[in-house]
Amino acid sequence: MTNGIYIGDAARQSGVKVPTIRYYEQIGLLRSPLRSDSNRRFYDTADLRRLAFIRHARELGFDIEAIRALLTLQDNPSQSCATADGIAKARLIEVDQRIRSLLALKAELEVMIEECRHGRVADCKVIEVLADHGECQHHHK
Amino acid sequence: MTNGIYIGDAARQSGVKVPTIRYYEQIGLLRSPLRSDSNRRFYDTADLRRLAFIRHARELGFDIEAIRALLTLQDNPSQSCATADGIAKARLIEVDQRIRSLLALKAELEVMIEECRHGRVADCKVIEVLADHGECQHHHK
DNA sequence: TGTTGCTCCTCCAGCGGCTAGAGAATGTAA
DNA sequence: TTACATTCTCTAGCCGCTGGAGGAGCAACA
């Protein structure tokens, strides 16, 4: 068909699962596509690009509302770019934060594993480390 | 009271919110505590340690089932430590993975922000980067 | 011309891990 | 006493999907 592809192919080509595509349509992130005579959705290349955009942004950790904002900007390209910039900067701060705490966690897990010498649980540091830490440090986010 | 503290204090001391404590009890992660005459929950220091354990493990990204497994080990200390060790090792792999992809993401965000010179959206790299990437690379997890 | 097997449709329920609210009963302080 | 805080139970909602039921349609082959 030259009018487009079915949802299954759109899913395969975009890397977004079929129910997720329908979900995005439902919440208004994706326009309602054309339908075949038998009511099947048809997607074109513009839809595929939009899906790829969404998927990538989700992978980068943008939440749906941020993506909605970015897509709105994309649909109205004469606006200022400051909003998009702001969204990206907010994400950068979050990401930095998460990297830092994951690195701390990694160090902690390595200690746990290193000290656990396959003895009995009574001697196992994995559990000890987890139990102790909560009492000595309180670095709530 | 020498029999323990109320849920509010338990929440303040453990860093776990009141409804979350009740939720943990509901899903069987925490035993049902003693109650006062007027039906209020009383927590003792053992409960506080367990809560701190759970909070810390959650911060480290362990899911509830992993924590349940760790707590079961803790309650039966004569078992082998291999299970706890396995759980920690699995987490370490995950964490490493996430650090790597967050670092990649950070780099990408920095490029996006760097190249966005507060012009119009038409020239804005924030959106372009997001749109393009999905088409060239497909490093699905 | 079946009939097998795949995709698609809609609708609705459920997941994890909380979080928030209603409405009622206690507890504590001035 | 009056006010306010805290607790209780119960229920519903949050996000971002994910899966299943039950049915329609379509393509290919015998």
Side-chain angles (χ1 to χ4, degrees), chain B:
Chain B
M1 289 277 173
T2 61
N3 350 23
I5 55 173
Y6 286 149
I7 196 168
D9 284 330
R12 270 180 289 277
Q13 287 178 42
S14 67
V16 179
K17 289 183 189 166
V18 169
T20 307
I21 294 175
R22 288 196 278 245
Y23 168 73
Y24 287 160
E25 181 184 336
Q26 188 191 306
I27 62 169
L29 209 56
L30 223 55
R31 59 153 203 186
S32 298
L34 293 175
R35 301 285 186 128
S36 73
D37 290 350
S38 60
N39 203 33
R40 301 196 168 188
R41 290 166 176 87
F42 272 136
Y43 294 95
D44 58 25
T45 45
D47 295 318
L48 284 180
R49 292 209 314 121
R50 205 170 170 99
L51 272 174
F53 180 97
I54 295 169
R55 180 174 73 87
H56 186 43
R58 287 294 300 139
E59 273 171 10
L60 295 193
F62 290 90
D63 64 21
I64 299 286
E65 284 320 302
I67 294 171
R68 201 190 293 279
L70 289 170
L71 285 170
T72 304
L73 289 175
Q74 204 178 26
D75 295 340
N76 304 68
S78 58
Q79 287 178 232
S80 160
C81 157
T83 312
D85 189 50
I87 294 168
K89 274 185 177 145
R91 277 298 302 158
L92 181 58
I93 289 167
E94 276 175 47
V95 166
D96 245 349
Q97 193 66 13
R98 281 177 82 172
I99 288 171
R100 262 197 297 278
S101 65
L102 281 174
L103 285 172
L105 158 56
K106 183 186 172 180
E108 207 165 340
L109 284 170
E110 275 165 350
V111 169
M112 281 162 64
I113 291 162
E114 183 55 35
E115 291 194 354
C116 181
R117 287 279 162 241
H118 300 281
R120 310 211 145 251
V121 171
D123 314 315
C124 179
K125 289 288 186 292
V126 172
I127 283 169
E128 245 177 65
V129 169
L130 242 28
D132 287 354
H133 186 91
E135 305 203 58
C136 55
Q137 281 189 44
H138 278 277
H139 57 123
H140 302 188
K141 53 171 181 179

Side-chain angles (χ1 to χ4, degrees), chain A residues 121-133:
Chain A
V121 171
D123 315 316
C124 180
K125 289 289 187 293
V126 172
I127 283 169
E128 245 176 63
V129 169
L130 241 30
D132 287 355
H133 186 91

